[in-house]
C-alpha cells in the first residue's frame, strides 16, 4: 500500500471526530500545560507570574512551627498542600525535563518547565529543615473542604504537619528524595550550585526513609484521609534509581539489586512508583551497565508487561473506552493515562537508543509504535474523542468551563478585592455559569469509561484538576511537539 494511503487511513478516526491530527498543536498544549502550575502556586508570586488573576496567598504557612512553608503548590481544586502527591508531581516534571530537555528548549519551554520544577523544589528544601524532619502537609483537608474560598482569602486553619525519627513516613521521605534527585539532574547544566543543594537534601531524605521505615499516614492521619500510601517499597527503589542516576554511586545499585521490584503493576501514579523504578533500571540494562539476568532482568520483564498491557499487546490489557481512551479508575482517570504515557514515551526513546524493540505476548512493538500510541491518547485528551471536547482547559474551542477549582470559580481578587468568606464562596460554586477565570492548561479528571463527561463544578470526580495529572504530560507533550 502506498505511504500516502497509509497516512490517510491513520487520519480517518480523527477526521471523523472533527479534529485532524494536524489541528492538534502539541507545542501549544505544552505551553498551556505549564501555565497550569502558575495558577496552582502558593506563596508570594514572582514578577513574571503569567496567571495574572491569582494573587499572593498562604504567606504565613509554617509559622505555627517556626518554619517558612510558604510557596509550593496547592494540590488540586482545593487549598491544601499535600506533600506526597506534590513530591510525585515534581518527580514527574523532573523526569520529563531530564529526558526531553532538548525538545523543551526547541519549543522555548525549558525555562518555564524548570521554573515550575523550582517552585516546588524550593518548597521541599524549606520543608526539610533538618536531616530527619520533613513537613508533609499544610492546611487541613476537612476544614478546607467545608469552605469554598479563593486561596487569597483563606480563613481555614493552616496547620503544618511533619514526620521525624519518632513519627516516620518513609514513603513520602523517599518520594521527596526521588523528586530532588531527579531535579538535581535537571538543573545540573543551568545551575550546578542549586543542583548540588538538591542532591544533598535528596541523600539526607533517602537515609531518613531507609533508617526510619513506616507509612506516613500513621504519623500524619490528616494526610491519610486524602492521600493514603499503600506501601513504601516502591518509593525506596524509585529514589534509589534516581540517586544512582544522579551520582553513579554503587551503593544505590546495591539497594536496587536487593530491593522489591514490585512485580507487574497495573498503574504508575502518586501512590505506586514501581513502574518508574523498573524503567530506570531497564535503561541501565539496555546500556549494558547491569546484566540482563537475575534481579535486573526481573525489573525489565515487569515494566515490559506493564507497557505491553497499556499498548494493548499483552495478555491482560488495560481497558479502553469505546472511543479509545485507556481506562484505569473512575476518579480522575486522566492522571493514570498521562503517567502511563510518560512511561511509554520515555521507553520508546530508551529502546530507540539501544536499537531494540519491545517483545510483547501479542507481537513485537517498535519505538515508533509506542510513540504513535502515546499520540493517540494525547489526541483523545486534546479533543479527538466522541464528544469532540478538549479535556485541557483553554485548549481548542470546546473545553470544560465549570472546572471544580476554588480560585478559578470565584471572581479574581484583582477584579474584586473584597474578601469572600468560607460559606459565601458557595454562591459562586452553585452558579450554573462558566468560571470567571480560565484555568489555562489544567487537565480535568476526564470522561468516564463510556466517554461521557458532565461539565459541572459539583462533579469533582471528573471535573477537578490536579498537579499529579498535569505533571507527567509535560514530558509527553515535549516528546511529541
Amino acid at each position: 500500500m502506498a505511504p500516502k494511503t497509509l497516512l490517510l487511513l491513520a487520519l480517518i478516526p480523527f477526521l471523523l471526530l472533527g479534529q485532524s491530527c494536524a489541528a492538534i498543536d502539541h507545542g501549544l498544549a505544552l505551553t498551556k500545560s505549564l501555565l497550569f502550575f502558575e495558577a496552582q502556586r502558593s506563596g508570594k508570586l514572582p514578577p513574571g507570574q503569567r496567571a495574572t488573576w491569582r494573587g499572593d496567598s498562604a504567606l504565613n504557612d509554617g509559622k505555627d512551627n517556626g518554619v517558612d512553608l510558604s510557596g509550593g503548590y496547592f494540590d488540586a481544586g482545593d487549598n491544601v498542600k499535600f506533600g506526597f502527591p506534590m513530591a510525585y508531581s515534581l518527580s514527574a516534571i523532573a523526569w520529563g525535563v531530564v529526558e526531553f530537555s532538548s525538545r523543551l528548549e526547541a519549543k522555548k519551554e525549558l525555562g518555564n518547565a524548570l521554573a515550575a520544577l523550582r517552585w516546588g523544589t524550593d518548597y521541599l528544601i524549606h520543608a526539610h529543615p533538618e536531616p530527619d524532619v520533613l513537613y508533609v502537609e499544610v492546611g487541613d483537608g476537612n476544614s478546607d473542604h467545608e469552605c469554598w474560598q479563593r486561596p487569597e482569602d483563606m480563613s481555614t486553619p493552616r496547620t503544618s504537619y511533619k514526620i521525624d525519627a519518632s513519627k516516620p513516613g518513609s514513603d513520602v521521605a523517599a518520594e521527596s528524595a526521588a523528586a530532588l534527585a531527579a531535579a538535581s539532574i535537571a538543573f545540573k547544566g543551568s545551575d550546578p550550585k542549586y543542583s548540588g543543594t538538591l542532591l544533598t537534601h535528596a541523600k539526607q531524605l533517602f537515609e531518613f526513609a531507609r533508617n526510619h521505615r513506616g507509612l506516613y499516614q500513621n504519623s500524619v492521619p490528616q494526610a491519610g484521609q486524602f492521600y493514603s500510601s499503600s506501601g513504601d517499597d516502591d518509593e525506596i527503589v524509585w529514589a534509589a534509581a534516581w540517586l544512582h542516576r544522579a551520582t553513579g554511586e554503587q551503593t544505590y545499585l546495591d539497594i536496587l539489586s536487593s530491593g522489591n521490584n514490585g512485580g507487574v503493576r497495573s498503574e504508575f501514579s502518586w501512590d505506586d512508583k514501581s513502574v518508574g523504578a523498573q524503567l530506570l533500571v531497564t535503561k541501565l540494562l539496555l546500556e549494558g551497565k547491569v546484566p540482563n539476568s537475575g534481579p535486573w532482568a526481573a525489573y525489565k520483564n515487569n515494566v515490559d508487561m506493564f507497557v505491553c498491557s497499556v499498548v494493548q499487546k499483552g495478555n491482560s490489557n488495560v481497558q479502553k473506552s469505546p472511543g479509545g481512551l485507556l481506562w484505569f479508575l473512575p476518579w480522575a482517570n486522566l492522571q493514570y493515562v498521562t503517567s502511563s504515557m510518560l512511561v511509554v514515551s520515555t521507553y520508546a526513546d530508551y529502546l530507540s537508543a539501544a536499537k531494540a524493540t519491545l517483545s510483547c505476548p501479542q507481537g513485537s512493538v517498535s519505538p515508533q509504535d509506542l510513540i504513535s500510541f502515546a499520540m493517540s491518547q494525547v489526541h483523545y485528551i486534546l479533543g479527538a474523542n466522541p464528544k469532540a471536547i478538549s479535556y485541557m482547559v483553554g485548549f481548542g474551542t470546546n473545553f470544560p468551563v465549570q472546572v471544580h477549582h476554588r480560585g478559578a470559580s470565584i471572581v479574581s481578587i484583582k477584579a474584586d478585592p473584597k474578601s469572600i468568606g468560607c460559606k459565601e464562596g458557595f454562591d459562586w460554586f452553585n452558579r450554573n455559569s462558566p468560571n470567571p477565570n480560565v484555568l489555562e492548561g489544567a487537565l480535568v479528571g476526564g470522561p468516564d469509561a463510556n466517554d461521557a463527561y458532565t461539565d459541572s463544578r459539583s462533579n469533582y470526580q471528573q471535573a477537578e484538576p490536579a498537579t499529579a495529572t498535569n505533571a507527567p504530560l509535560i514530558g509527553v507533550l515535549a516528546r511529541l511537539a
Side-chain angles (χ1 to χ4, degrees):
M1 195 175 286
K4 283 185 179 176
T5 310
L6 284 170
L7 178 61
L8 284 170
L9 286 172
L11 286 173
I12 283 173
F14 302 105
L15 293 168
L16 288 173
L17 293 166
Q19 187 148 0
S20 75
C21 294
I24 295 180
D25 185 338
H26 302 126
L28 179 61
L30 171 63
T31 297
K32 289 181 179 289
S33 71
L34 284 160
L35 278 172
F36 169 66
F37 285 89
E38 299 198 17
Q40 292 302 105
R41 283 172 171 166
S42 177
K44 177 78 176 169
L45 299 180
Q49 170 78 11
R50 294 179 296 169
T52 54
W53 51 273
R54 282 292 324 281
D56 299 340
S57 61
L59 299 179
N60 294 317
D61 280 3
K63 288 210 171 155
D64 58 330
N65 279 301
V67 289
D68 177 12
L69 297 178
S70 64
Y73 288 110
F74 297 121
D75 171 61
D78 51 21
N79 297 323
V80 186
K81 293 191 290 207
F82 290 106
F84 196 37
M86 193 195 304
Y88 162 76
S89 298
L90 296 173
S91 64
I93 295 172
W95 197 4
V97 172
V98 168
E99 301 296 352
F100 308 117
S101 60
S102 62
R103 292 174 180 270
L104 283 161
E105 196 160 26
K107 289 294 175 182
K108 298 183 170 50
E109 291 295 345
L110 181 58
N112 288 323
L114 288 173
L117 184 55
R118 191 168 193 146
W119 193 266
T121 52
D122 280 352
Y123 172 81
L124 277 188
I125 289 170
H126 288 145
H128 182 227
E130 299 170 44
D132 289 358
V133 173
L134 178 69
Y135 284 86
V136 298
E137 182 179 342
V138 184
D140 172 68
N142 288 318
S143 60
D144 180 90
H145 286 191
E146 287 172 9
C147 294
W148 195 263
Q149 285 180 291
R150 301 179 294 206
E152 298 85 356
D153 290 334
M154 276 187 291
S155 57
T156 50
R158 299 299 292 174
T159 312
S160 52
Y161 301 92
K162 69 180 178 181
I163 56 169
D164 56 30
S166 63
K167 289 190 170 181
S170 42
D171 37 22
V172 67
E175 179 57 39
S176 300
L180 293 168
S184 77
I185 303 170
F187 282 103
K188 196 167 187 178
S190 60
D191 193 340
K193 185 180 177 187
Y194 186 62
S195 171
T197 300
L198 294 170
L199 192 54
T200 297
H201 282 274
K203 287 180 170 182
Q204 289 180 353
L205 281 164
F206 187 63
E207 289 310 305
F208 174 31
R210 291 192 70 222
N211 294 333
H212 304 281
R213 298 290 287 267
L215 300 187
Y216 89 120
Q217 64 257 24
N218 296 330
S219 301
V220 184
Q222 294 83 356
Q225 293 178 55
F226 298 90
Y227 287 99
S228 188
S229 170
S230 58
D232 65 353
D233 284 348
D234 56 320
E235 282 85 19
I236 296 287
V237 293
W238 172 235
W242 275 115
L243 280 160
H244 175 263
R245 187 156 173 182
T247 67
E249 292 173 14
Q250 180 67 33
T251 180
Y252 300 114
L253 272 188
D254 294 342
I255 291 165
L256 286 165
S257 67
S258 60
N260 179 357
N261 66 44
V264 179
R265 310 305 296 170
S266 59
E267 66 183 54
F268 175 53
S269 70
W270 61 264
D271 182 40
D272 192 341
K273 323 304 184 326
S274 291
V275 168
Q278 290 164 3
L279 186 50
L280 291 177
V281 169
T282 296
K283 181 179 192 287
L284 296 173
L285 188 151
L286 290 169
E287 293 170 346
K289 293 175 181 174
V290 296
N292 187 5
S293 60
W296 308 114
Y299 277 102
K300 182 178 185 299
N301 291 339
N302 292 332
V303 75
D304 284 358
M305 288 305 98
F306 172 78
V307 173
C308 289
S309 70
V310 165
V311 301
Q312 311 295 295
K313 294 285 189 180
N315 286 329
S316 144
N317 293 330
V318 176
Q319 183 184 337
K320 286 174 90 174
S321 73
L325 181 69
L326 290 171
W327 178 255
F328 292 89
L329 289 166
W331 196 307
N333 177 60
L334 286 187
Q335 69 178 299
Y336 307 103
V337 179
T338 59
S339 59
S340 61
M341 288 311 97
L342 178 58
V343 169
V344 166
S345 303
T346 301
Y347 201 4
D349 282 10
Y350 291 174
L351 289 167
S352 187
K355 296 183 169 52
T357 56
L358 176 61
S359 181
C360 290
Q362 303 300 323
S364 179
V365 180
S366 72
Q368 187 52 50
D369 292 335
L370 293 177
I371 293 300
S372 297
F373 188 87
M375 190 176 291
S376 75
Q377 295 301 295
V378 168
H379 285 183
Y380 181 107
I381 291 169
L382 296 178
N385 56 62
K387 291 183 78 73
I389 181 173
S390 165
Y391 293 105
M392 175 182 281
V393 178
F395 186 88
T397 56
N398 183 25
F399 52 82
V401 295
Q402 288 198 25
V403 184
H404 180 95
H405 188 276
R406 284 160 177 75
S409 68
I410 301 173
V411 63
S412 167
I413 196 164
K414 305 287 182 67
D416 184 358
K418 183 177 74 69
S419 180
I420 293 173
C422 167
K423 301 301 183 187
E424 210 181 334
F426 283 105
D427 292 343
W428 290 90
F429 175 85
N430 291 319
R431 293 182 187 191
N432 186 20
S433 58
N435 289 347
N437 309 299
V438 179
L439 193 63
E440 291 273 357
L443 290 188
V444 292
D448 66 17
N450 295 307
D451 303 300
Y453 181 82
T454 303
D455 187 13
S456 167
R457 235 167 263 118
S458 59
N459 179 18
Y460 48 85
Q461 278 199 321
Q462 290 188 305
E464 187 171 16
T467 60
T469 308
N470 262 67
L473 189 65
I474 292 167
V476 179
L477 288 170
R479 177 60 181 83
L480 298 179

